[in-house]
Amino acid sequence: MSLVKLSIKGISYSQTQNGAYALILNEVDGERKLPIVIGAFEAQSIAIALEKEIKPPRPLTHDLFKNFAERFDIVVKQVIIHKLVDGVFYSSIICERDKIEEIIDARTSDAIALALRFNAPIFTYKNILDKAGIFLKANPIDSDNDNQEIDDILSNPETFGLENSDDQPGRPYMKNSLDELNELLTQAVENEDYEKAAKVRDEISKRES
C-alpha cells in the first residue's frame, strides 16, 4: 500500500460543545484533507507545538517525552496513520536508536504531537485517505454553515465531512487592543492556560497579517 504525506492545516473547535476539537490534516500533493477528532489536552499540546512563540514555563507531557528520548538518543523518524476502524484512527511511531528501528503503537493525537516536536513527517495510507479524505471546495461556504459542520463532526467521530478548509473559530478577543492581547498572552502562558494562549495568539496573528 502506498503512503501519502500529510501536513497540518490546523485545529478547529466546536462553538457549542466544550472540549470537542478536530485536527485537520492536508494531503501534501493533493487537495484532500483528513479531519480527526481529538481531546482537549492533545489539542492544546499540538497547538503549543505549532505556535512557536508560546513557550511553556514547564514541559508538557509530550515535551517531557522528547527530552527523555533525546537523552537516550532515541529519534522519532516518522508517524504513520495506518488504520481506520469505526471512525477511530490508529497510528504508529517509527523510532530509531543506534540504527535499530522500532515501531510503537500510539493514539494518533499523541503521535502527531510528537511528530511536530521531532520535525518528523506524517503519513497515511492511500486507502485511508480515499475512505476518510475530503476534497476542498472551490467556493467557501458561509461561516455559520462552517461552524455547524465542525459541530457535526465533533459530535460524531464517525463523521468525516468537513465542508471548508478555512474553518475558523469565533473571535472572543476581537475587541481587545494589541497591547491588551499581548498582555493576555503573557498572563495565559504564565498561568499555563495554553488553550487561551493559542486563541489570543491567533487573534494577534490575524491583526498582524
Side-chain angles (χ1 to χ4, degrees):
M1 292 183 289
S2 59
L3 287 172
V4 179
K5 190 173 184 179
L6 302 171
S7 63
I8 297 177
K9 169 68 178 178
I11 299 172
S12 295
Y13 58 90
S14 172
Q15 301 295 297
T16 60
Q17 301 174 64
N18 292 331
Y21 296 81
L23 173 66
I24 312 301
L25 302 175
N26 276 354
E27 181 183 16
V28 170
D29 295 321
E31 296 184 330
R32 288 175 293 183
K33 55 189 175 181
L34 193 66
I36 299 176
V37 176
I38 61 175
F41 172 78
E42 291 76 15
Q44 172 183 287
S45 183
I46 291 170
I48 291 297
L50 288 170
E51 195 60 70
K52 305 298 183 182
E53 295 183 28
I54 299 177
K55 302 295 183 184
R58 296 182 297 172
L60 301 178
T61 301
H62 296 109
D63 297 318
L64 177 61
F65 180 92
K66 182 176 185 288
N67 295 339
F68 182 89
E70 288 181 337
R71 183 66 60 90
F72 291 94
D73 298 321
I74 300 169
V75 178
V76 172
K77 303 293 290 184
Q78 62 183 11
V79 163
I80 300 176
I81 303 170
H82 64 83
K83 186 168 65 172
L84 172 61
V85 178
D86 296 331
V88 179
F89 293 88
Y90 294 79
S91 294
S92 295
I93 301 173
I94 314 302
C95 302
E96 184 179 276
R97 181 173 183 267
D98 295 334
K99 297 183 179 180
I100 299 174
E101 190 173 274
E102 298 285 350
I103 301 175
I104 300 173
D105 287 333
R107 293 186 306 170
T108 297
S109 52
D110 289 329
I112 290 174
L114 291 173
L116 283 169
R117 286 162 169 80
F118 283 89
N119 294 316
I122 302 165
F123 297 94
T124 192
Y125 288 110
K126 182 178 180 298
N127 65 321
I128 293 178
L129 197 57
D130 289 341
K131 180 179 179 181
I134 304 300
F135 279 98
L136 297 172
K137 287 194 171 183
N139 297 315
I141 58 178
D142 64 76
S143 59
D144 288 341
N145 285 341
D146 291 348
N147 291 336
Q148 183 59 54
E149 290 292 340
I150 294 171
D151 285 347
D152 289 345
I153 292 171
L154 297 173
S155 65
N156 182 7
E158 296 183 19
T159 302
F160 301 105
L162 190 62
E163 294 297 326
N164 180 28
S165 64
D166 295 322
D167 302 312
Q168 296 293 335
R171 297 176 62 180
Y173 304 103
M174 188 168 57
K175 295 182 180 180
N176 293 90
S177 68
L178 271 176
D179 288 341
E180 290 172 337
L181 289 171
N182 283 305
E183 184 176 347
L184 285 171
L185 178 60
T186 300
Q187 291 174 353
V189 173
E190 288 176 352
N191 294 330
E192 300 185 30
D193 187 350
Y194 302 121
E195 181 179 338
K196 179 179 178 180
K199 293 176 186 178
V200 173
R201 182 59 208 173
D202 284 346
E203 181 62 35
I204 293 174
S205 297
K206 287 185 177 71
R207 305 281 184 89
E208 295 177 343
S209 62

